[in-house]
Amino acid sequence: MTRIGILGAGRVGANLAGKLAAAGHHVVLGRRNPDERTPALTGVVDPRIRFSDQRTTARTTDLVINATPGDSALDRLTGLRTELAGKILVDVSNATRDVDGLPGDLCYPGSSLAERLQAALPDTRVIKTLNTMLFMVMTAPGALATPPTVYVSGDDAPAKTTVTGLLGDLGWQPAWIEDLGDITTARATEAMILVVPHILRRHGFEPFAVSLAR
């Protein structure tokens, strides 16, 4: 059982909160306005989920998940440097400049949001994962017809072990988890987001993941 803080209460954050709470973790959803009720939270009624502001969420939990918009996450999380010190930060976002509501160009070509976060937060162990799929697949990978892949990038081996355990709680089987290496490998998975708008335009908002086939 872990005290998990999730920054961002949109579809991604609410989806992760529900599944992690059901797995027995103490979950705090951090919002800019803790009293605001967003559409994504309509079905989130698990009494194990608490709500707070983002700074308090980062300070009072053991592991923090960044589910905030990737294009503004660096500034937001850099402002929480003290609260995030010594903790694992799981970054599931993609930093893009949206075009017509869909991901467009990368904000950090030749680099990645995860690398920028690790450089800005040297006392925090940043792990990149879950950013290569639609949000519903994050917590229901077994629902896809083809076994999906979830990629993991980060510099700290014990932190990766912890995050891999959480992926198991979300339904990811060990064979579906691909450890790519250090945090610089996140630039590869973040670039995968560029295929997403083309798939959505052709097939609509149907669950999928960008996966390996062996």
Side-chain angles (χ1 to χ4, degrees), residues 47-176:
R48 289 168 293 193
I49 299 175
R50 297 190 296 109
F51 298 91
S52 187
D53 63 274
Q54 293 185 354
R55 188 172 299 277
T56 300
T57 298
R59 186 179 68 248
T60 59
T61 53
D62 304 313
L63 179 147
V64 178
I65 297 173
N66 172 42
T68 65
D71 59 347
S72 56
L74 183 59
D75 287 341
R76 181 181 296 108
L77 296 180
T78 299
L80 300 175
R81 183 184 292 108
T82 299
E83 289 79 6
L84 292 170
K87 300 183 180 181
I88 297 172
L89 174 66
V90 182
D91 180 33
V92 304
S93 65
N94 287 298
T96 62
R97 298 179 178 87
D98 286 1
V99 178
D100 298 328
L102 293 175
D105 292 337
L106 299 174
C107 291
Y108 308 111
S111 182
S112 65
L113 172 60
E115 291 173 82
R116 299 293 183 97
L117 287 171
Q118 187 61 86
L121 304 168
D123 298 322
T124 302
R125 294 170 289 168
V126 178
I127 304 295
K128 188 79 178 191
T129 192
L130 289 172
N131 63 306
T132 55
M133 63 203 68
L134 292 191
F135 76 92
M136 66 285 285
V137 179
M138 294 179 177
T139 58
L144 296 182
T146 304
T149 305
V150 61
Y151 306 96
V152 180
S153 301
D155 294 335
D156 189 274
K160 283 184 178 180
T161 299
T162 297
V163 173
T164 298
L166 287 183
L167 291 174
D169 290 341
L170 294 174
W172 290 89
Q173 297 183 20
W176 302 347

